[in-house]
Amino acid sequence: MMTEELSVQHRFERELQPIVDVAFRYAFRLTGNRDEAMDLVQDASLLAFKYFASYSPETNFRAWFLRILTNRFFRNRERASKLATESLDAAPDLYLYDRFKADGIPVDREESVASVFEKINEEAVQAALAKLPEEYRVVATLHLVSEMPYEEIAAVLEIPVGTVRSRLHRARKQLQVHLWELAQAYGITPKETQ
């Protein structure tokens, strides 16, 4: 049995070795980060070894392995996005107003977001919007930037109006957290208050 395991490991390593550099370059393009790319290749290698018995030797190993790597990348990204969304969803509806109030910064409840927008350059606001998950970013951009009504957004995206409302509500909550970070970076509020 030990000989059989070594044989499987040896065959796997023989297939993997020639494509490791290709896999790393591909992973680096996906992640944009050297350490994350190395982790991704390692995760994909462990998964590929685990399922090596399902690999058919007459197929293209490189394509099989890169499919595993790609699926792992999307799964990791989806998991990270979900965790980020869940943590940001925990923010109260009036997060920005509450933070200003706690810091003793006089601001009207309705003007809290607008006051930050006015004091921060457009590129930074766009960067805050870009941090939102895509489904929220699209709705927020159409409503907040293009000033489209809910019904029109629903028609453009072919989703129910209720979904537009829900996504916009979550986008606003998340955007307030990002705007608070920008307010600190721009000196609108002290950084040491957290």
Side-chain angles (χ1 to χ4, degrees), residues 19 30 36 49 52 59 68 73 92 98 118 129 173 183 186 190:
I19 67 158
L30 289 174
E36 287 180 34
F49 182 70
F52 191 59
T59 60
I68 291 171
F73 168 73
D98 292 344
E118 290 172 6
L129 279 169
K173 286 174 64 171
Y186 276 72

Side-chain angles (χ1 to χ4, degrees), residues 16-188:
L16 181 62
Q17 190 58 42
I19 67 158
V20 168
D21 289 339
V22 170
F24 175 77
R25 286 193 303 271
Y26 176 60
F28 183 74
R29 286 190 187 110
L30 289 174
T31 63
N33 179 292
R34 182 175 176 76
D35 293 335
E36 287 180 34
M38 288 172 35
D39 289 345
L40 182 57
V41 171
Q42 182 177 3
D43 287 349
S45 298
L46 290 172
L47 272 175
F49 182 70
K50 180 178 178 181
Y51 295 105
F52 191 59
S54 69
Y55 166 70
S56 178
E58 57 272 352
T59 60
N60 183 336
F61 181 82
R62 182 174 76 166
W64 180 77
F65 182 81
L66 293 180
R67 186 174 343 116
I68 291 171
L69 188 145
T70 303
N71 289 340
R72 190 64 176 178
F73 168 73
F74 284 128
R75 191 165 292 127
N76 290 349
R77 192 174 79 173
E78 187 177 294
R79 188 177 299 132
S81 176
K82 185 176 181 181
L83 288 173
T85 299
E86 287 172 357
S87 67
L88 288 173
D89 282 346
D93 290 342
L94 299 174
Y95 178 84
L96 201 55
Y97 171 73
D98 292 344
R99 293 306 302 250
F100 277 125
K101 188 176 173 187
D103 283 354
I105 301 169
V107 64
D108 185 276
R109 190 172 151 172
E110 287 79 31
E111 293 177 6
S112 58
V113 174
S115 67
V116 174
F117 271 114
E118 290 172 6
K119 296 176 183 172
I120 299 173
N121 70 36
E122 188 176 333
E123 291 81 25
V125 172
Q126 288 298 330
L129 279 169
K131 287 182 179 181
L132 296 175
E134 184 176 336
E135 60 198 22
Y136 304 143
R137 183 176 61 245
V138 171
V139 171
T141 302
L142 290 173
H143 184 70
L144 300 172
V145 178
S146 300
E147 299 179 353
M148 281 187 174
Y150 295 161
E151 293 77 14
E152 199 172 330
I153 295 170
V156 167
L157 300 178
E158 297 179 334
I159 58 175
V161 173
T163 303
V164 171
R165 291 176 198 271
S166 172
R167 288 181 184 176
L168 186 58
H169 177 75
R170 294 177 82 178
R172 283 180 171 146
K173 286 174 64 171
Q174 292 179 24
L175 191 56
Q176 288 184 64
V177 173
H178 298 313
L179 287 174
W180 177 256
E181 293 165 359
L182 285 173
Q184 290 180 318
Y186 276 72
I188 297 168

